[in-house]
Structures are given as C-alpha cells and as structure tokens.
Amino acid sequence: MTFFEGIQQFFTALFKFMPKFLPGVGNTLLLSVLSILLGTVIGLFAVMLRLSKKKPLVMISNFYITIIRGTPLLLQLYFIFFGLPDMGIMIDRFPSAVLGLAIHSGAYISEIFRGSIESIDYGQREAAKALGMTNFQAMKRIILPQAFKRSVPALGNQFIISIKDSSLASVITITETILLARQFAAATFNVFPIYTLAGAYYLLITLGLSKVLNKVELRLKVNER
Amino acid sequence: MIQIRNLHKYFGELEVLKGVDVNIEEGEVVCIIGASGSGKSTLLRCLNFLETKDKGEIYVDGKLIEKKCRQDVIDLRKKVGMVFQRFNLFPHMTVIQNVMEGPITVRKMPKEEAQELAMELLAKVGLEDKKDQYPAMLSGGQQQRVAIARTLAMQPKVVLFDEPTSALDPELVGEVLTVMKELAKEGMTMAVVTHEMGFAKEVSDRVIFLHEGVITEEGTPEDIFEHPKNERLQGFLSKILV
C-alpha cells in the first residue's frame, strides 16, 4: 500500500465512521452533563459540611474527600457497578456511571469551592453579619456569589477532566465514545482513523465547553474596573 | 440605651480589654480615642458581637445579650449598625443593591419600598447619580458614604463607626465626616472610634480615652482636649496634635 492509498483509505474510513459515532458522543455528552451537575451539587454540599465547624460533619466531609481523591476512578466505578450488588444494592448501568463520576468530581469540586470561599475577604462576612444576616443568608447572598466567580477557572478545568473521565464508563459497558471506538476498531481494524475520530469528538466537546466558560467568566466580570 | 459592664476580652494570652464600663445614651455621640492597640476597635466589635467577649455584660435597651442566644444577637445587630474602616461593600452588587440588601434580606421589606428608602439615603449621602455603579468604580470616600447609607437602611438606633476615615486619602476624609456630622445633628446615637480629633472635638458629646484596655479618662471634649488630667492622655494628645 502506497502512502497515497493510505491517505485515501484514512479519509474514506473517517467519513464512513463519522455518523456512526453520534450515539456514543450523545452518551458522552449526557454522561458528562449529568455528572458535572450532580458533582457540583455534591461538591457544594461537601464544602458546606466542611465549613460548618461542627466536628462530626467536618469529619464526614474529610473522609469523603480523602477516600475519593485517594483511590482511582476506575476502581470506584467497578465498586459501584460490580461491588455494591454484593451488598444487595443494585444500580442500573447508566445511573451507576453518572453516580460514580459525580461522586468522584464532587470531591475535587468541593475543594475548589473551599479555596474560593476561603479567599473571600473576611470583612464581607462581617459586613453581612453586621447587617443582621444569619450565617445562611450571608453565605447565600454575599459569600457564594463572589466565591463562585473566583472558582470558574478551576471549575472549568474540573469539568473538562470530567468529560474525559466519562470515557472510563466504557468499562461498565456504557456505549459512549470510547466503547464504540474499541468496538469499531476490533471489527474493522481501521484503528488509526477510528481513534482519530474519537479524539476529535472529545476535542470538539471540550473546546465547546471552554467557549461557554469564557463567556460565563466575561459576564461575571461586569463589576470589575 | 447601651450599657457595657466589666467587659474583658482576650486574644490568646493577651488581655485586650481589662474591664471596661461604658454607657451610651440615646442621641449621644461618643468618640473613643486612644493609641493603636489600646482596644478601641475591639470594644466596638464586641458591642455587636463580631468579637466574642470573654467576661462582662452587654445590655441593649435594658436587655442582657448573650452570644448563645443567636436570635438576640441578630436582633441586636438590626438595631446597632456598623461602618467599617475598609468599607466592606459587597463588590458583586451595585451601589443601590448594596443599600437595599439589608432591608430586603434581613427586614423582608418589599422591593419597591426598599428601593425608595435606598434612593432617599443615597440622596442624603449625595450619591444618587452613582446608584447603578459597582463599588470598584467609586473613590474611597464615595464607597464609605455608600457604606453609611447601607447601614442606615437598616434603620438602626445606634451606629458604630470603626475608624471610618482611616483608610481614606486625606482629601476624601472631609466628605465622610460631613455626612457623619449631618447624622449627629439629626440626633443619631453614634459611637465613633476615630483618630480625627477635630471631629471628636466638634461633634461628640463625650470622649472616652482608652489606654491598654482600660478607660483612663472620660469626659466632655473640652475636659479631654483642653484640660487632660491623665499623663497618658496628655502624652497621647501631644503626639497627635502637633
């Protein structure tokens, strides 16, 4: 096979498989969006426990973060999908994947939130309290809106990691981009174009997300000089 | 209106307030002066529980307030406003939103009413035209005037000023003091920690000199500035009034 023929074959395969990937890409997107949203909620919850200054709650939060950050995501997914049924807890494939990814990213997101919440000038909390706000009101009205803005760059990072991490869901047989790529490659041996395509789709998704995050950041900057 | 009895406050080993007694009567302007580290700001901050006192009693309108009783502390803070040295405006809100925040979130005032009140107060501090700007776009003096309006929006009975002009450029001090004098004239009860001796002389009904956590001398501005008895006070004044 000459080099020219190789190129030709590459593009033929590329166009052939491009549409075939769409269901997988759809699943990757769905998995990412759901796990990011749920992960953010979990992260917010974990950081509230952490900052509650109540010892048992702080310990729960620390325990969660230590375990999740200290073990591989792959193991966590195995644990939820293959391990928990042993304990009589059966969760379907897709919810297992979403849950696993969300619990995983939640630990990192809670630390991102903690960093940005603790970076807010203490005077802000004092001013809120001096107005007669409760801790909850001060957090909701004054601290979190400012902290959220500061967390956007790091949060964006974590979201992009989450998108790529969703590929691990293939091990519990979720038909997402990577699983499809492996199946197509095994069936046709057209490895090079198929993996190129898979990579291109991931790049497309992460680039799109970066664009959105840039917009969000710009919009949040209206109150700066 | 406010009685402080035998107030003690420690920071670790350091005793910052060593048994302070203060009365603040309705309509009175009390200035608290003293060298840095004398405990002036701490005294003020203990008063609305931004610092927790270690010993002593604080009565507001005859009611003993304790930190354990959170609702009491919150009710106290609604009555006792505070203006900070570093303004502490909320940077993510416009000027008018800053002023409306207390009434809406804490007092549950309807939005239209809060807006009206806020405009009224911004007019009073001379900043109606800045209402839609963000704090970062204002000068220090303007920010502090907004902070005063924000405090007044809670319709407090007493306003505590914690060195309100110390973070300002010299040429901006005047505009803030003017607003404060206006307030004093209207009969607002005020406790002011300040290094502005001119203001203390002119506006206050009573001056308290704090030295190393103890009230060393207390009296009318005339007593304090013209006939200081205590050696420490004499020393302090000679350093300040050069």
Side-chain angles (χ1 to χ4, degrees):
Chain A
M1 186 167 67
T2 65
F3 179 65
F4 181 71
E5 279 168 353
I7 301 263
Q8 203 180 18
Q9 266 186 20
F10 172 77
F11 280 105
T12 323
L14 212 59
F15 285 112
K16 189 174 143 212
F17 284 106
M18 207 181 273
K20 288 190 176 173
F21 263 109
L22 288 179
V25 173
N27 269 339
T28 293
L29 270 175
L30 191 62
L31 207 53
S32 310
V33 170
L34 290 179
S35 66
I36 283 170
L37 291 179
L38 188 59
T40 308
V41 174
I42 294 175
L44 198 58
F45 187 68
V47 79
M48 289 301 128
L49 294 187
R50 174 70 200 255
L51 297 177
S52 67
K53 288 183 194 149
K54 306 254 182 323
K55 206 153 181 211
L57 300 183
V58 174
M59 273 167 64
I60 291 173
S61 178
N62 279 343
F63 179 75
Y64 159 66
I65 291 167
T66 309
I67 297 291
I68 296 300
R69 286 201 308 190
T71 58
L73 172 57
L74 191 54
L75 180 74
Q76 290 159 17
L77 289 172
Y78 279 148
F79 185 81
I80 290 176
F81 189 61
F82 300 114
L84 286 186
D86 278 356
M87 303 289 292
I89 305 170
M90 301 278 253
I91 309 173
D92 261 355
R93 274 187 307 165
F94 198 78
S96 289
V98 171
L99 200 63
L101 291 167
I103 290 175
H104 183 79
S105 59
Y108 292 90
I109 289 172
S110 83
E111 286 292 272
I112 290 172
F113 281 148
R114 187 167 67 91
S116 52
I117 287 171
E118 285 177 350
S119 79
I120 302 297
D121 178 20
Y122 198 71
Q124 291 291 310
R125 192 178 305 246
E126 290 196 331
K129 280 188 180 172
L131 283 178
M133 287 194 201
T134 60
N135 282 334
F136 178 76
Q137 286 169 333
M139 193 48 98
K140 183 175 144 219
R141 301 284 308 164
I142 309 303
I143 309 296
L144 281 184
Q146 295 181 59
F148 177 71
K149 180 175 144 188
R150 285 190 197 176
S151 65
V152 168
L155 222 44
N157 245 346
Q158 187 56 41
F159 290 171
I160 285 173
I161 292 172
S162 290
I163 288 172
K164 293 184 294 180
D165 277 353
S166 73
S167 63
L168 286 175
S170 60
V171 301
I172 57 173
T173 64
I174 304 285
T175 341
E176 46 68 72
T177 313
I178 289 292
L179 187 78
L180 278 189
R182 270 212 314 265
Q183 286 173 350
F184 293 154
T188 65
F189 297 111
N190 255 330
V191 177
F192 191 68
I194 284 170
Y195 284 157
T196 306
L197 253 181
Y201 274 122
Y202 275 107
L203 208 53
L204 207 65
I205 296 173
T206 49
L207 277 177
L209 179 65
S210 305
K211 275 256 157 58
V212 173
L213 287 168
N214 277 339
K215 284 242 167 71
V216 170
E217 229 173 302
L218 274 180
R219 283 198 57 173
L220 288 173
K221 273 193 179 144
V222 285
N223 62 343
E224 284 169 22
R225 269 206 262 221
Chain B
M1 157 152 275
I2 295 180
Q3 280 104 28
I4 303 175
R5 292 281 161 272
N6 192 30
L7 188 72
H8 288 260
K9 172 73 188 169
Y10 295 84
F11 287 125
E13 292 285 290
L14 186 72
E15 190 174 15
V16 187
L17 295 175
K18 303 171 184 168
V20 174
D21 294 86
V22 184
N23 278 342
I24 299 171
E25 302 300 333
E26 193 156 349
E28 204 182 19
V29 177
V30 179
C31 280
I32 304 165
I33 61 172
S36 57
S38 58
K40 329 180 276 297
S41 286
T42 310
L43 172 60
L44 215 56
R45 292 162 56 82
C46 282
L47 234 172
N48 71 348
F49 288 79
L50 287 180
E51 301 287 356
T52 316
K53 62 188 167 58
D54 290 303
K55 226 181 355 178
E57 291 109 46
I58 294 172
Y59 297 88
V60 177
D61 288 336
K63 187 175 180 191
L64 177 69
I65 312 286
E66 286 292 347
K67 194 187 178 190
K68 326 189 266 289
C69 198
R70 265 204 209 163
Q71 194 52 48
D72 280 1
V73 172
I74 285 174
D75 288 342
L76 169 144
R77 286 173 179 159
K78 289 183 195 167
K79 275 189 239 171
V80 181
M82 178 133 180
V83 174
F84 298 88
Q85 182 176 0
R86 311 279 325 275
F87 332 133
N88 296 344
L89 290 179
F90 305 133
H92 58 303
M93 297 180 183
T94 61
V95 164
I96 190 159
Q97 285 169 341
N98 263 280
V99 181
M100 287 161 62
E101 184 59 28
I104 288 180
T105 304
V106 180
R107 286 218 181 279
K108 312 286 179 213
M109 192 185 273
K111 203 176 161 200
E112 292 74 35
E113 206 178 316
Q115 206 156 7
E116 228 168 86
L117 174 68
M119 280 315 289
E120 216 173 277
L121 290 167
L122 284 177
K124 191 171 180 171
V125 299
L127 290 170
E128 308 126 286
D129 53 326
K130 303 280 184 197
K131 73 180 176 76
D132 292 320
Q133 304 220 2
Y134 285 95
M137 294 151 189
L138 305 183
S139 73
Q142 291 169 333
Q143 288 191 47
Q144 192 61 299
R145 279 145 67 198
V146 175
I148 293 173
R150 177 178 69 177
T151 304
L152 294 179
M154 288 302 290
Q155 295 160 323
K157 291 189 170 170
V158 188
V159 181
L160 312 176
F161 291 85
D162 186 6
E163 303 197 30
T165 57
S166 298
L168 297 177
D169 291 340
E171 79 269 22
L172 301 178
V173 169
E175 58 188 73
V176 172
L177 291 183
T178 310
V179 169
M180 289 169 62
K181 281 177 201 166
E182 200 62 38
L183 261 184
K185 226 183 279 169
E186 288 170 16
M188 176 61 83
T189 313
M190 294 159 67
V192 188
V193 167
T194 187
H195 291 292
E196 294 295 330
M197 295 305 147
F199 177 84
K201 252 188 223 175
E202 190 186 332
V203 182
S204 62
D205 299 304
R206 199 148 49 89
V207 179
I208 292 172
F209 174 65
L210 212 56
H211 180 73
E212 290 179 356
V214 183
I215 295 183
T216 317
E217 197 161 335
E218 185 175 354
T220 63
E222 207 193 351
D223 291 339
I224 296 282
F225 293 108
E226 310 301 331
H227 318 289
K229 292 183 206 81
N230 185 284
E231 218 172 282
R232 302 284 188 191
L233 177 57
Q234 287 163 1
F236 174 72
L237 290 176
S238 70
K239 262 183 249 160
I240 285 207
L241 305 170
V242 258

